[in-house]
Amino acid sequence: MDFQEFVGYFHPELFIPELKSKTKDDALEEMVDTLSKHKDLKDKRLILEMLKRRENLGSTGIGHGIAIPHGRSLSIKDMSVIFAKSVNGIPFNAIDDEPVHLVFMIVAPPHESNQNYLPFLGKLVEILKEESNREQLTRCESFDQLIDILAGGF
């Protein structure tokens, strides 16, 4: 996956510079609400239920203050990515028990013509492994800054 294809999944209207939510469930709902305002969803409740079921199987909090809630749903036509931050952090049952400050939510239809779901997820994790990228993302205040930081991973 090249840089243009990767960043093509990010959109300014799906950038939340500061989550209002203080809990994992509320954060998921706030992010799905944002998604529903800007994407044609068949039923946002089904997406929220899918994400909560996924979290019940095991937290998507991968440590280092990052969570990547993700899943597939018939309620969305195209893969979408929502990025959100929380300065104070959200309890997310992350593997390191630390609060989450950076959330990348990925929702995709069950079948994609370009099969980019897993390559995108893999590239995102690769970028987030770099401590300098994580630090920059916690200070990120705009969509343009987000894209510039992600560009450093290519």
Side-chain angles (χ1 to χ4, degrees), residues 61-100:
I62 61 172
H64 301 289
I66 299 166
I68 309 176
H70 60 280
R72 294 183 181 271
S73 173
L74 290 169
S75 290
I76 194 162
K77 292 179 183 172
D78 302 305
M79 188 169 98
S80 295
V81 180
I82 306 106
F83 172 69
K85 290 180 26 189
S86 171
V87 170
N88 293 327
I90 297 170
F92 223 88
N93 299 324
I95 60 172
D96 60 2
D97 290 325
E98 294 296 319
V100 162

Side-chain angles (χ1 to χ4, degrees), residues 14-64:
L14 300 178
F15 173 85
I16 304 173
E18 181 62 35
L19 285 166
K20 295 178 182 114
S21 304
K22 306 294 182 215
T23 68
K24 176 170 36 175
D25 283 351
D26 288 349
L28 293 174
E29 187 168 347
E30 183 178 343
M31 293 177 80
V32 170
D33 281 346
T34 298
L35 182 65
S36 73
K37 290 176 186 169
H38 301 287
K39 292 285 186 171
D40 184 25
L41 304 180
K42 290 179 186 167
D43 188 340
K44 73 176 187 180
R45 291 173 304 160
L46 292 176
I47 291 176
L48 186 58
E49 287 174 21
M50 174 273 297
L51 291 166
K52 287 182 177 180
R53 277 196 313 271
R54 172 62 187 86
E55 289 298 323
N56 286 337
L57 293 173
S59 177
T60 59
I62 61 172
H64 301 289

